[in-house]
Every structure is written in C-alpha cells, then in structure tokens.
Amino acid sequence: MTLESVVSVNLAFARVAEHFGKDLRGVRFRVGVGRGHLLELVAYVPKAVLPSRAEWEALEDAVEALVEALLGTMLFDRWVGEIACVESPKKPELRLASSERSSPTLAPAHELRDLVLSVERDIHAGLPPTPWSEIKDRSWTLLELDPEERAEGCPQPDLVLVATCYPELVRCFLSGAPFDSARFSANSERFACLEVAVPQAFSERTQVKDALEATLETALSLERLGSVVGVGMGLRLLYFTLAVQHIEQAIASLRRCVATPNISSAWLVWMDDAWAEDRVLLRD
C-alpha cells in the first residue's frame, strides 16, 4: 500500500467521524456479486461502534459514506448495490462461505478499492470478449411480464413479452435497479432501448417488429455500430434493446431505419442512470 493510499484512507475515516460522529476504524468488508452484477457489501463493524437500534440508520449512512470515499464516486455508483452492517466476528480473519466472485476473507478498509477492482476484472473476464455486433451464435431467452404487476415508475410499463440474448441485463433494467453499461460490457458498449410507436393494432405489430428487427441488425452490424440484443412487445410500443458502439454514427443509422410509413414515432432511451435524461428523438 502506497503512502498516498494510507493518507486517503485515514482522511476518509476522519471525514466520516467529523460528519457522522462515528469512528469506523477497524471495520472490515466482504464483497459478493448479486443481480445485475451489482456488488453486495457486508460491513463488519466493531462492537464498540454498534449503536442502539434507533441509531442504526445513522450507522448505515456513515458506512455508505465511508465506502464511497474509499472507492471514489464513479466506482461506487457503477458497482455498489446493497451495503449491510453487522457486528464484527470475534476472529476477523474467519473464512466465510462465498461465491467465486466473493472475497473469501474479511478485507480491511484499505484493501476495499483493490478488492472491488479485482471483482470488476473478474466480471469483465466472464463477459463476451468481443462486441455484440461480432457475435453471431446466440442463445435467446423468452420472458413474459404482467404490466399490472409492475411497480409504478418502472421503465417500459406496458411491456408484456421480450426475447433477449442478454437476460441478466434486461432483468436488471426492468427491475429499476441501478444500471451502468460498464457492468455488462468489456468492450465499451453503451446499452439503449429503441422505443417505437406504430399505428397498427397490437395483433398486427408482429410483422412490423420482425421487419424492423432485421433492418436494425443489418444496418448496425454492417458498419459494426452495434447490435440488437433484445426485442419486446408492449401494449402500446415496440422495444428493441441495443448494444451501441459508436454513438453518433449509430444514431444516424437508427434514424434511417425508422424513417418508414408504418412507424409513427421513435426515440432512443439510454439505459444508464447517468444518461437516462438524454433521450434522442429519432422520428416524430
């Protein structure tokens, strides 16, 4: 560990103590991987720091602030999902049951960033080594959804059926969990949803969907701009999940694809939380 990292870790502890009144020195962490490749952290807090039940929320806020300070905001926002606080075991080096991507021992605070970076490399090693535009042999999964059971505010609220070659990505997005494309691609792809409105009745949209899917895949893959990794039918709209490589060129290509009489409107919605407001109108 470098002198710089020692200073930054000590500074993180000092700032948390000043802001929250909690001395978290001695806290240790275990890291696991949950749905959507989000990291699930367990913070083992020394018994002396454990508060009364009424102050437990304040402890959780302090631990969350410490984790963000140790990792940096970008790494924290991209990878960290849930953080649980428990009492530290009497033997801090006790080995715990863990998955292949979990830390087998309790890591001290100064090792947390390196541990998360290690898990990040492990996850990326398990992702497709090439962009989706170069993958021809794919396995597709069919997912059925009930719009009436979807929580208010969830994306694509009218979606009833989706076929995808990347179910983990689609499930994460539809659940409303934090989303970052870097958790799902080792090739700097950005994931987006092309949402299309067609004037035909629901029962007549299948032909439009099939034709547009073929057009999109041909246009995007021809210049390696991206690929279709999911196709969905909604009560009002058609949805196409895209892995995009070259954004500006891909948007221009998409505009040409949707410039047909059987499409009344179309827009591109980025799946990443950081770009969710940057909707691109393709056809109005």
Side-chain angles (χ1 to χ4, degrees):
M1 184 170 56
T2 65
L3 178 60
E4 181 181 357
S5 61
V6 172
V7 172
S8 60
V9 169
N10 288 336
L11 183 60
F13 280 126
R15 287 177 174 173
V16 168
E18 179 182 4
H19 187 77
F20 294 93
K22 302 290 183 182
D23 183 358
L24 295 179
R25 286 175 296 179
V27 66
R28 290 172 176 263
F29 296 93
R30 180 165 59 89
V31 179
V33 182
R35 167 163 288 186
H37 304 158
L38 279 169
L39 301 190
E40 298 175 346
L41 274 62
V42 180
Y44 291 84
V45 182
K47 185 176 182 179
V49 185
L50 292 178
S52 64
R53 186 173 298 275
E55 298 178 339
W56 193 264
E57 185 175 339
L59 173 65
E60 292 175 335
D61 291 342
V63 170
E64 181 177 326
L66 176 64
V67 171
E68 183 173 0
L70 294 171
L71 298 182
T73 300
M74 186 180 73
L75 203 61
F76 177 86
D77 289 344
R78 175 171 294 168
W79 289 101
V80 177
E82 296 183 358
I83 304 176
C85 298
V86 299
E87 182 181 345
S88 181
K90 294 180 179 180
K91 295 181 179 180
E93 294 303 324
L94 176 68
R95 297 185 67 86
L96 301 171
S98 61
S99 67
E100 292 181 359
R101 294 174 178 170
S102 299
S103 55
T105 58
L106 302 187
H110 68 267
E111 294 180 3
L112 181 61
R113 180 178 171 83
D114 288 341
L115 179 58
V116 170
L117 291 174
S118 175
V119 176
E120 177 184 46
R121 289 191 295 269
D122 185 29
I123 291 175
H124 280 172
L127 297 177
T130 60
W132 279 97
S133 61
E134 300 177 19
I135 301 175
K136 305 305 177 185
D137 186 16
R138 304 182 185 182
S139 175
W140 290 76
T141 300
L142 187 65
L143 306 174
E144 295 186 51
L145 305 100
D146 185 350
E148 295 184 359
E149 296 180 358
R150 303 284 296 282
E152 185 178 352
C154 284
Q156 304 176 3
D158 67 323
L159 186 66
V160 294
L161 193 67
V162 58
T164 177
C165 55
Y166 212 159
E168 184 71 8
L169 176 139
V170 171
R171 289 193 182 101
C172 177
F173 178 67
L174 294 179
S175 72
F179 192 99
D180 192 302
S181 290
R183 298 206 313 270
F184 298 94
S185 174
N187 301 287
S188 300
E189 294 160 294
R190 186 187 293 186
F191 294 94
C193 290
L194 174 63
E195 302 184 358
V196 178
V198 296
Q200 289 87 343
F202 180 82
S203 59
E204 301 172 353
R205 293 180 196 163
T206 301
Q207 187 174 357
V208 177
K209 173 183 69 66
D210 293 344
L212 183 54
E213 179 186 0
T215 300
L216 291 169
E217 188 61 38
T218 299
L220 293 173
S221 62
L222 186 64
E223 300 181 44
R224 296 185 177 180
L225 300 177
S227 181
V228 179
V229 296
V231 183
M233 289 281 288
L235 297 176
R236 297 183 302 105
L237 304 173
L238 299 177
Y239 299 95
F240 299 87
T241 307
L242 310 176
V244 179
Q245 292 170 252
H246 305 286
I247 295 173
E248 295 302 325
Q249 299 95 313
I251 289 175
S253 180
L254 292 172
R255 282 202 167 95
R256 292 190 291 269
C257 291
V258 299
T260 62
N262 57 6
I263 294 176
S264 56
S265 63
W267 52 94
L268 193 67
V269 179
W270 301 111
M271 299 170 73
D272 291 65
D273 296 343
W275 305 309
E277 301 300 321
D278 299 331
R279 297 164 62 94
V280 182
L281 182 64
L282 301 174
R283 178 178 175 82
D284 185 4

